[in-house]
């Protein structure tokens, strides 16, 4: 009987330690959904302005709320994409685009700068999440000129807590400072 009480008490303590916050109710969840959709559109517009090749952004950025984590925005960006095959043949895009002469590393650096600046400038506008929950932007970057399947896709994730993002938005930080202060992962 004593062991049963100890096991029951340990189970209750373990279950209680994993509960961090109350889940969002329906109204709060709808607010997060609206704010996430708006933030996704902002990320998409910034990308379209920075990568003027119409074939680069193949799918609009999509966001989701992950309970206990926060909000995550994800998109697929195709760099070095000068043409796209269609049912009536191949459509070519002129090589006079703004980033046509950039190397892959320069384009990846540009994506990091764009995502970190957008995250700090607009990421704090997502209401309904706690200060310790995260807002992240995940960029899946496909290099069409790369023949090695392992090197064809590069993933960059830039994230920070809502509290960190709000504090950084009030400070006058350079792009390099933002990248140092935010969590940045490239693989």
């Amino acid at each position: 009987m004593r062991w049963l009480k100890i096991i029951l008490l340990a189970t209750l303590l373990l279950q209680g330690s994993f509960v961090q916050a109350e889940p969002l109710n329906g109204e709060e969840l709808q607010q997060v959904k609206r704010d996430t959709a708006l933030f996704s559109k902002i990320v998409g517009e910034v990308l379209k302005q920075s990568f003027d090749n119409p074939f680069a952004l193949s799918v609009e950025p999509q966001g989701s709320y992950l309970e206990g984590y926060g909000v995550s925005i994800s998109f697929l960006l195709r760099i070095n994409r000068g043409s796209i095959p269609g049912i009536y043949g191949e459509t070519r895009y002129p090589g006079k685009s703004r980033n046509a002469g950039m190397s892959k590393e320069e384009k990846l650096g540009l994506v990091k700068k764009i995502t970190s600046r957008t995250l700090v400038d607009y990421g704090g506008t997502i209401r309904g999440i706690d200060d310790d929950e995260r807002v992240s932007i995940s960029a899946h970057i496909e290099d069409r000129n790369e023949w090695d399947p392992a090197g064809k896709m590069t993933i960059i994730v830039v994230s920070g807590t809502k509290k960190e993002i709000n504090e950084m938005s009030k400070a006058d930080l350079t792009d390099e400072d933002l990248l140092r202060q935010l969590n940045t992962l490239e693989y």
Side-chain angles (χ1 to χ4, degrees), residues 12-172:
L12 289 174
L13 287 173
L14 280 175
Q15 286 179 344
S17 68
F18 291 116
V19 176
Q20 294 180 358
E22 291 184 31
L24 297 178
N25 64 32
E27 190 175 308
E28 291 171 329
L29 206 51
Q30 288 302 316
Q31 181 66 50
V32 170
K33 184 178 179 181
R34 282 191 296 274
D35 292 345
T36 302
L38 177 63
F39 184 53
S40 297
K41 289 205 179 291
I42 291 170
V43 170
E45 287 304 315
V46 170
L47 288 167
K48 286 176 188 174
Q49 291 172 10
S50 301
F51 289 90
D52 56 352
N53 185 332
F55 306 136
L57 191 62
S58 60
V59 178
E60 291 293 319
Q62 298 291 314
S64 60
Y65 171 73
L66 308 166
E67 192 172 340
Y69 177 80
V71 173
S72 177
I73 307 294
S74 183
F75 62 88
L76 172 63
L77 183 69
R78 292 190 168 124
I79 60 174
N80 298 330
R81 182 110 176 150
S83 62
I84 189 166
I87 56 173
Y88 299 112
E90 187 173 77
T91 305
R92 292 202 155 278
Y93 188 72
K96 298 175 185 172
S97 70
R98 187 175 328 140
N99 25 35
M102 295 174 72
S103 69
K104 179 180 178 179
E105 289 74 26
E106 291 172 327
K107 289 180 182 179
L108 294 177
L110 180 61
V111 170
K112 286 181 194 177
K113 286 180 186 179
I114 290 168
T115 54
S116 64
R117 181 57 62 188
T118 306
L119 183 64
V120 170
D121 289 348
Y122 302 103
T125 60
I126 298 175
R127 298 168 285 180
I129 63 173
D130 295 331
D131 282 346
D132 61 335
E133 288 186 301
R134 303 187 80 72
V135 179
S136 67
I137 299 177
S138 176
H140 301 257
I141 303 160
E142 181 183 56
D143 184 1
R144 182 180 165 182
N145 294 340
E146 181 68 46
W147 288 98
D148 179 21
K152 191 174 193 107
M153 184 70 69
T154 303
I155 300 172
I156 297 174
V157 182
V158 179
S159 69
T161 64
K162 185 175 177 186
K163 181 179 179 183
E164 292 170 341
I165 291 169
N166 287 337
E167 289 172 359
M168 284 186 236
S169 68
K170 295 173 187 170
D172 187 26

